[in-house]
Amino acid sequence: MKKINLLLFVWVIGQTLSAQVWQREAPDTTSNYTGYYCSLALDDQDNPHIAYYNEDFQDLYYASFADGKWKLEIV
């Protein structure tokens, strides 16, 4: 029984150490007043999808990240 507990502990530690690291990026830098009321969701590949309000243009935006780049759309 002790061997099973030890193996489980090592596996959990190993999984924690190999976790991905988040990077900070601004998907939209078009104005000083963007990003209000934002909402974040991750898809099956852990790509972020963000909905947010741009105060300067008074528009709701949708940003998604795939293939190494951001795609911005006005909703």
Side-chain angles (χ1 to χ4, degrees):
M1 187 70 168
K2 288 185 179 183
K3 285 185 179 181
I4 292 173
N5 289 339
L6 180 59
L7 290 175
L8 180 60
F9 179 75
V10 171
W11 182 77
V12 171
I13 295 283
Q15 292 297 318
T16 304
L17 294 177
S18 67
Q20 292 182 352
V21 177
W22 282 77
Q23 294 178 337
R24 295 174 76 185
E25 284 186 38
D28 183 0
T29 58
T30 57
S31 72
N32 292 329
Y33 300 100
T34 190
Y36 289 98
Y37 314 107
C38 61
S39 180
L40 169 69
L42 300 176
D43 63 18
D44 293 339
Q45 289 79 39
D46 289 334
N47 291 319
H49 297 260
I50 306 169
Y52 60 94
Y53 182 70
N54 185 315
E55 181 81 18
D56 281 345
F57 303 121
Q58 298 181 349
D59 286 321
L60 179 64
Y61 280 77
Y62 171 73
S64 58
F65 186 80
D67 300 325
K69 56 186 171 184
W70 286 97
K71 179 181 179 184
L72 302 176
E73 300 177 59
I74 298 174
V75 178

